[in-house]
Amino acid sequence: MTPVELSRTVLGAVRRAVDDGVLDVAVPERVKVTTPGPGGCGDYATNIALQLARPAGQPPLHVAEILRTRLAASDGVRDVVVTGPGFLNITLGGAAGVDLVAEILRRGPRYGFVDEPSGDVVHLHAPREVRAVVVMDVVGRLLRSQGVDVTTTSCDDGALEGEWITVLGVPGCGDEGVPGPAASSAGHVIQPVPAPASPLHLGRDAGRWALLHPAGHDRPRISDEHLVQREGNPLFRVRYAHARIRALSRNAADLGFRAEPGPIEPDGDPAHPAGAPAHPTGAPTPRNPQAATPHPLLHPLADHPRVLARAAAHRAPDRLARHLVSVADAVLPLLPAVLPRGAEKPSAAHRARLALAEAAGAVLAGGLSLLGIDAPEHL
């Protein structure tokens, strides 16, 4: 079950409660589900009970209990726990992660994109400063990924520096979808803290990352640290994770197997010999896949559409950059267990791990593309 499908499931529980006459509220158009906050549990959480309590004229905990019983009976939901003032914490059935991975593999790098036009039109304007122009370029990409029609201007004070276009890949004033200097500058102004130095010597990928990874109100560090191929460099980790996943896909093809979404830690998982912990929590591998703890990589993968939407809405590419680091850090520990070892034959577990890794690769590729950064096949 994907986050979008879960949102519909929660909405269905609200609708059933209204139809049963136990809630007297207008059914909302949509329900937001997120990863659980502090004190929460399970795979996802929603504050829908708190939102409906006032119009329903009932305490939030009572509304939460009404929705809990209906949610718990829904297909694909294993458990629902009420915490705090009325948060619903939802644990999905064992097939939920499988469905998510399959959905990501189906959508590829466009996972999290909105296919239908939203009908919104946004005009972006940036001063003629290198960081502002690069940030505006990425904000435009993010908004378009969410179905928004975007126009931009940045040439009011003269043409852009030629190397900003040739090295950093920002669109020129005459490019498609970018009005010239005479266009109205009304709309949202992109004006982050300026870069203290030119990033051109870093090249396109590191130069853009140096400008985009810090929040707009933070001063970017323009230094060779972004070029260093070591674990302490977030850009390297993100690009290395993608390149490593692509290499594993090629190696798997050579061994005669391919990705197939499935439970990640079934009995006999070769990555976890008998008696060894099978999960970062230290818990042994459950014998019932339906009761297995979700792989920690599933959370950032499921959260990707929300991250894209929030990064676009807040004009904040740094949110996407930091999210890609989280995905890379979550997938890297999985990769050594993807291929069979020694005389092992490829199993369902290997195919499932490869599918999960390739789903992460699709998210990394799509995110890097939105940032205007290359997702390498080799590194």
Side-chain angles (χ1 to χ4, degrees):
M1 185 182 299
T2 66
V4 172
E5 292 169 337
L6 178 58
S7 176
R8 293 173 185 154
T9 299
V10 176
L11 196 60
V14 174
R15 189 173 291 110
R16 289 195 299 275
V18 172
D19 292 343
D20 292 343
V22 292
L23 279 183
D24 184 13
V25 295
V27 179
E29 292 185 3
R30 60 177 61 90
V31 173
K32 181 180 179 182
V33 295
T34 64
T35 52
C41 59
D43 300 313
Y44 296 98
T46 177
N47 65 351
I48 185 63
L50 282 75
Q51 296 177 24
L52 297 179
R54 182 182 292 273
Q58 300 186 41
L61 286 173
H62 183 59
V63 175
E65 183 60 28
I66 290 173
L67 298 178
R68 185 194 70 78
T69 58
R70 287 161 175 79
L71 264 177
S74 301
D75 291 340
V77 175
R78 192 171 80 222
D79 192 23
V80 182
V81 176
V82 179
T83 59
F87 292 103
L88 291 165
N89 296 263
I90 305 164
T91 301
L92 301 179
V98 177
D99 293 343
L100 173 65
V101 170
E103 172 68 8
I104 296 173
L105 294 181
R106 184 183 70 82
R107 295 295 306 272
R110 289 185 61 83
Y111 168 64
F113 285 32
V114 174
D115 292 328
E116 298 296 327
S118 67
D120 296 330
V121 179
V122 173
H123 178 75
L124 303 175
H125 177 74
R128 190 171 172 272
E129 187 275 325
V130 63
R131 188 186 188 196
V133 171
V134 170
V135 169
M136 183 179 68
D137 174 40
V138 177
V139 169
R141 295 171 187 235
L142 286 166
L143 287 167
R144 292 183 186 102
S145 79
Q146 301 304 297
V148 178
D149 189 15
V150 181
T151 61
T152 61
T153 51
S154 57
C155 305
D156 294 19
D157 300 322
L160 299 182
E161 296 286 346
E163 289 184 317
W164 295 1
I165 299 171
T166 58
V167 177
L168 297 178
V170 298
C173 297
D175 287 2
E176 182 179 355
V178 184
S184 169
S185 61
H188 188 87
V189 178
I190 304 294
Q191 197 162 11
V193 172
S198 171
L200 293 174
H201 69 285
L202 299 176
R204 174 167 178 158
D205 295 332
R208 290 179 76 101
W209 183 268
L211 299 173
L212 296 168
H213 184 248
H217 55 76
D218 291 333
R219 182 184 176 93
R221 296 169 61 91
I222 309 299
S223 71
D224 291 347
E225 67 187 73
H226 302 291
L227 298 172
V228 178
Q229 296 193 17
R230 64 185 181 196
E231 187 177 349
N233 178 2
L235 174 60
F236 171 72
R237 295 204 305 276
V238 171
R239 300 180 78 235
Y240 172 76
H242 181 268
R244 181 86 185 278
I245 292 166
R246 298 301 302 140
L248 288 172
S249 297
R250 294 190 296 270
N251 293 338
D254 291 341
L255 293 173
F257 76 98
R258 62 181 182 179
E260 184 177 319
I264 303 301
E265 296 174 345
D267 285 349
D269 183 349
H272 302 289
H279 193 270
T281 61
T285 300
R287 291 192 173 274
N288 178 8
Q290 295 295 322
T293 301
H295 194 282
L297 175 58
L298 292 173
H299 282 302
L301 295 185
D303 205 32
H304 186 63
R306 185 192 67 85
V307 171
L308 292 185
R310 301 299 288 173
H314 291 276
R315 321 298 193 242
D318 57 287
R319 296 190 179 202
L320 173 57
R322 291 194 300 272
H323 176 66
L324 296 182
V325 176
S326 298
V327 172
D329 289 345
V331 73
L332 284 170
L334 169 73
L335 301 186
V338 168
L339 297 180
R341 298 175 180 177
E344 285 181 335
K345 299 294 184 182
S347 67
H350 295 111
R351 292 191 289 272
R353 292 190 213 108
L354 179 61
L356 181 58
E358 288 187 354
V363 167
L364 293 174
L368 286 171
S369 176
L370 287 171
L371 297 178
I373 295 174
D374 177 55
E377 294 282 319
H378 306 270
L379 193 62

